[in-house]
Amino acid sequence: MRNDNFISTLDAPLPFPPKDHLQNTNSTNDIINNARKATDKEHNMSLLQGIKLYPKAVLWSILISTCICMEGYDVCLLSNFYAFPRFNKKYGQQLPDGTYQIPAPWQAGLSNGANVGEIIGLFINGWVSERFGYRYTVMTCLTLIMAFTAIFFTAQSVVSLQVAEILCGIPWGVFQTLTITYASEVCPVALRGYLTTYVNFCWGLGQVIGIGVIKSMLPRQDQWSYRIPYALQWMWPVPLLVGILLAPESPWWLVRKGKIEDAKRALLRLTSLNRETDFDADETIAMMVHTTALEEKITAGASYFDCFRGADLRRTEIVCMVWAIQNLSGNSFSGYSTYFLEQAGLEPSKAYDFVLGQYGINMVGVFGAWFLMAIGIGRRSLYLYGLCGLCSMLFILGFLGLVPHAHRKEASLATGSIMLAWAMFYQLTVGTVCYSLVAELSTRRLQIKTVVLGRNLYNVVGIICSVLSPYMLNPGAWNWGNYTGFFWAGICFLCIVYTYFRVPEPRGRSFAELDLLFEHGVSARKFATTEVDVFDETVDGSVIHNYEEKLDATHLEKPTS
C-alpha cells in the first residue's frame, strides 16, 4: 500500500512511516551494515570488475541458458520440414496432383502443440523450481527431453509427432523462464543485463544450427533426411546434464530457503576471490538476507495469487506487458520477409539463405544491445525508442502498399529488405532488452511465478498473432498485403504509449531498491532519478532470524559504520 506521506524527490531518500523505525538488535545491525557495504560495492562495480570477480557465475549462467537452444532448434525443424518431400510423404496425405502435404489442420496442431506444452511447463515451473531448486529442475527436464526425443525419432504417424511436440513443450516451457531467473540471481548488478539477455542469443543459435542441419539434408531423398535432424536433438541434453550437475545452486534461492551456509558456499563457487580482494562473501550474503527479509515484509505469500496483490500487481502487469509487446510490436509480421522477396522474383531455393541470415541477425543483435547498454543507455530507453523505430518502419511498409501495381516487384523487394532491417532493429532493442526487464522488475520472492505469467501471456498473444497474420497476407483471405503494416504500426503505437507511462528503468538498481520503489508507487518516469535508502527500514522475518542466530552462535561482531 502506498504511504500518503511519501514524497518522491531527486535529492532526498525515501522516507518511511515512524512505525518502521524500531529498535534493532546488535545482530540485526550487523546484517544491515554488511548489506549496506555489499550494496555500495555493487553500485560502484564496473562491468570489467564484475567479470573479474564473477567469471564462474558468467560461465555457469551461459551453460544453463544454452538449454534454450534446444527449443530454437526444434521449432526451426518443424516449420521447415513442411517443405521436405520425404517428410510430407511419411506423415502427410496425397493430393489429387500426386504430391503429399501435411493437412492444414495438422500443420496448425503441430505448430501450436509445442506452445500448449510450454504453457503447461511454465505453470509447473512456477511451483517446482521454487520448491526443489533450479539445478534439480533443469536436470529433470533434460532427462525428460532425452526420453521425449525418442518419440520424434521413432514416430510412425503425425499423431506421434503431435504427442512429442506437446510433451517436449513442457520442459521447454521450464527453460524459458528458469534460465533467465538463474542468470539474474548468480551475478551482480553490473552483469545482470548482459547475462539475462544472453538467452535471446541462444534462441538465434539454436535456429541457425537447425537451418544448417536442414540445408545439409536437402540432397537426401530417404527417411534419414528428417530422422537425422530429430536424432541430433540428443546432442544437447547429455553434456548440459553433466555440466549442470556440477553447477552451484542459486545463492538467492538458498537464502530464501534459510540455507545460509549452503548459500555462502554457492556464492564462493561463483566468484574468484584471488582477483578481487575487496570482496566479502559474508557482506553479500547479508545483502541477500536483508533483501529477502524486506520482501517477506512487503509480500505476504509466494503463490500465483500473491502476484496480483498490492505492489506486486503492478510488477506482474508490467512483466506481462513487456513480454506481450514483443509480439504486439509486429514480430509475427516480420517473419514474412522471405514471402515478399519471393514476390519480387527471388528464387525459392534462396529462401533458406535469407532465413539463415535473419536468424543470424538475432544473434548479432544481442551483441549490439550489449554495446548500447555498455555505453550507458538504459533498458527503458532502449525499449521505448526501439518501439518508436519499429513503429516508423511499419508505417513505411504500409505506405509501400500504395506503390502502383506496375512496380510491384520493386515494392516487394523494398518490403522484404525493410523487414530484414526491422528484424535487426528489433533485436538491438525490444527483442533483447525484454529479457533483462522481466528478470529485474519482478521481486525475488515471486520472480519465477511473475515471469511464468508474463511468458504465458507472450505465448497466448503469439498464438493469436500467428493465426491472424496468414489471413492478413493470404491473397485468398483478407489480402491486406503491405497494408498489414498499418495495422501493426497502430498496435505498436499503443505499445509506445504504454511503455512511456508504465515501464520503469531498473538499470543500476539493487533488488531491494526496486522492491521499495514499487512499494511506494514511484512513477515509472522517476525510477532512474529517485533516491532510495533501503536500510532506513527495519525488516523482520524467518530468514533474518536464522541469520541472526548464526551470527550470535559464532559471535560475529562487526563494527558499525
Side-chain angles (χ1 to χ4, degrees):
M1 182 178 295
R2 182 169 179 169
N3 177 19
D4 294 335
N5 296 324
F6 172 73
I7 301 173
S8 175
T9 67
L10 300 182
D11 302 316
L14 291 174
F16 295 94
K19 66 181 179 64
D20 288 335
H21 293 279
L22 305 176
Q23 184 66 36
N24 288 334
T25 63
N26 289 333
S27 52
T28 301
N29 286 330
D30 288 334
I31 295 172
I32 293 175
N33 288 332
N34 286 339
R36 188 191 300 273
K37 292 176 184 177
T39 301
D40 290 340
K41 289 178 182 179
E42 285 212 3
H43 281 157
N44 296 324
M45 187 183 298
S46 66
L47 173 61
L48 184 58
Q49 289 172 334
I51 294 174
K52 287 182 178 180
L53 179 57
Y54 285 84
K56 300 173 187 176
V58 172
L59 294 177
W60 290 122
S61 175
I62 288 175
L63 174 69
I64 290 184
S65 295
T66 305
C67 293
I68 288 291
C69 292
M70 287 185 286
E71 183 184 3
Y73 178 85
D74 182 83
V75 171
C76 175
L77 289 186
L78 181 64
S79 61
N80 286 279
F81 272 156
Y82 296 144
F84 262 57
R86 287 293 305 176
F87 181 86
N88 287 327
K89 186 173 183 179
K90 174 65 177 179
Y91 301 109
Q93 297 178 359
Q94 189 173 20
L95 301 180
D97 62 0
T99 61
Y100 290 84
Q101 286 291 330
I102 304 293
W106 276 111
Q107 284 192 16
L110 289 172
S111 299
N112 288 322
N115 288 331
V116 172
E118 287 165 8
I119 291 173
I120 297 172
L122 283 164
F123 279 121
I124 292 175
N125 181 44
W127 175 76
V128 171
S129 60
E130 190 60 30
R131 181 178 177 86
F132 298 106
Y134 300 168
R135 288 175 59 253
Y136 289 118
T137 302
V138 173
M139 288 189 292
T140 301
C141 289
L142 288 172
T143 304
L144 292 175
I145 285 287
M146 287 189 284
F148 297 155
T149 297
I151 303 177
F152 278 122
F153 186 70
T154 60
Q156 297 300 313
S157 68
V158 69
V159 175
S160 299
L161 291 179
Q162 180 74 78
V163 171
E165 289 289 342
I166 295 174
L167 290 178
C168 281
I170 295 175
W172 290 337
V174 173
F175 296 147
Q176 284 180 348
T177 52
L178 192 146
T179 52
I180 302 171
T181 305
Y182 184 86
S184 70
E185 292 194 355
V186 299
C187 64
V189 173
L191 299 179
R192 210 163 56 198
Y194 303 93
L195 293 182
T196 52
T197 54
Y198 172 75
V199 172
N200 196 37
F201 174 87
C202 294
W203 288 97
L205 178 60
Q207 291 169 329
V208 166
I209 295 174
I211 286 291
V213 170
I214 288 173
K215 284 177 66 68
S216 68
M217 293 293 111
L218 284 175
R220 301 190 69 105
Q221 299 299 319
D222 56 9
Q223 62 175 329
W224 295 104
S225 63
Y226 57 86
R227 294 190 72 184
I228 289 177
Y230 275 137
L232 288 177
Q233 289 184 103
W234 277 313
M235 71 182 175
W236 300 101
V238 174
L240 287 173
L241 188 60
V242 173
I244 294 170
L245 178 65
L246 303 174
E249 184 57 85
S250 163
W252 282 92
W253 181 83
L254 292 168
V255 167
R256 290 196 295 274
K257 294 300 179 181
K259 302 178 180 180
I260 306 300
E261 290 294 343
D262 291 339
K264 182 177 178 179
R265 282 193 290 269
L267 179 62
L268 291 174
R269 290 189 60 197
L270 294 167
T271 54
S272 181
L273 296 179
N274 60 331
R275 297 189 182 183
E276 187 68 43
T277 57
D278 196 32
F279 174 75
D280 189 318
D282 288 317
E283 292 175 354
T284 302
I285 293 297
M287 178 184 66
M288 296 179 184
V289 170
H290 179 267
T291 301
T292 302
L294 180 64
E295 291 181 348
E296 281 185 353
K297 177 180 179 179
I298 294 173
T299 305
S303 65
Y304 278 111
F305 179 75
D306 292 302
C307 293
F308 300 95
R309 297 174 60 184
D312 291 306
L313 172 60
R314 180 186 174 195
R315 303 177 84 155
T316 302
E317 170 222 315
I318 295 172
V319 169
C320 288
M321 286 303 299
V322 163
W323 230 328
I325 286 173
Q326 276 197 322
N327 280 321
L328 295 174
S329 59
N331 190 29
S332 58
F333 183 41
S334 71
Y336 287 85
S337 56
T338 304
Y339 169 77
F340 285 100
L341 290 170
E342 287 181 356
Q343 283 191 330
L346 185 73
E347 294 181 8
S349 61
K350 298 292 184 182
Y352 281 128
D353 294 330
F354 274 91
V355 172
L356 182 61
Q358 194 157 343
Y359 290 154
I361 286 174
N362 294 351
M363 301 168 64
V364 175
V366 174
F367 295 117
W370 286 358
F371 172 76
L372 295 175
M373 288 190 290
I375 63 177
I377 301 178
R379 277 60 136 177
R380 168 185 161 89
S381 298
L382 281 174
Y383 201 83
L384 177 61
Y385 295 126
L387 285 172
C388 292
L390 298 177
C391 184
S392 300
M393 282 188 274
L394 288 170
F395 271 117
I396 293 173
L397 290 173
F399 282 115
L400 283 173
L402 300 175
V403 175
H405 187 74
H407 299 284
R408 176 185 174 186
K409 180 177 180 179
E410 290 80 1
S412 295
L413 184 61
T415 298
S417 301
I418 291 178
M419 291 172 90
L420 289 175
W422 187 99
M424 169 59 85
F425 198 76
Y426 172 82
Q427 294 300 335
L428 281 171
T429 56
V430 175
T432 298
V433 177
C434 168
Y435 292 92
S436 179
L437 286 172
V438 299
E440 295 178 292
L441 295 179
S442 50
T443 177
R444 298 303 87 197
R445 189 172 171 84
L446 291 171
Q447 187 188 39
I448 281 285
K449 293 178 175 63
T450 305
V451 175
V452 161
L453 292 170
R455 187 65 188 187
N456 266 335
L457 181 60
Y458 168 90
N459 286 334
V460 171
V461 174
I463 291 173
I464 295 172
C465 291
S466 65
V467 171
L468 289 177
S469 292
Y471 281 95
M472 294 176 179
L473 295 173
N474 195 314
W478 301 345
N479 194 26
W480 289 3
N482 276 75
Y483 297 133
T484 305
F486 286 134
F487 174 85
W488 290 116
I491 300 295
C492 189
F493 177 77
L494 296 177
C495 295
I496 293 172
V497 174
Y498 176 86
T499 301
Y500 179 76
F501 287 103
R502 298 296 290 171
V503 178
E505 176 56 72
R507 177 174 174 267
R509 296 289 193 182
S510 69
F511 291 129
E513 289 171 338
L514 290 171
D515 289 336
L516 289 186
L517 287 168
F518 275 110
E519 173 68 9
H520 289 275
V522 176
S523 166
R525 288 161 289 166
K526 296 181 180 179
F527 254 60
T529 55
T530 301
E531 293 187 6
V532 55
D533 185 1
V534 300
F535 305 104
D536 192 36
E537 181 163 323
T538 297
V539 293
D540 198 8
S542 59
V543 174
I544 206 164
H545 283 313
N546 291 339
Y547 196 50
E548 283 178 333
E549 291 174 0
K550 171 181 175 292
L551 291 178
D552 293 336
T554 57
H555 303 288
L556 181 60
E557 295 291 340
K558 289 190 179 285
T560 59
S561 57

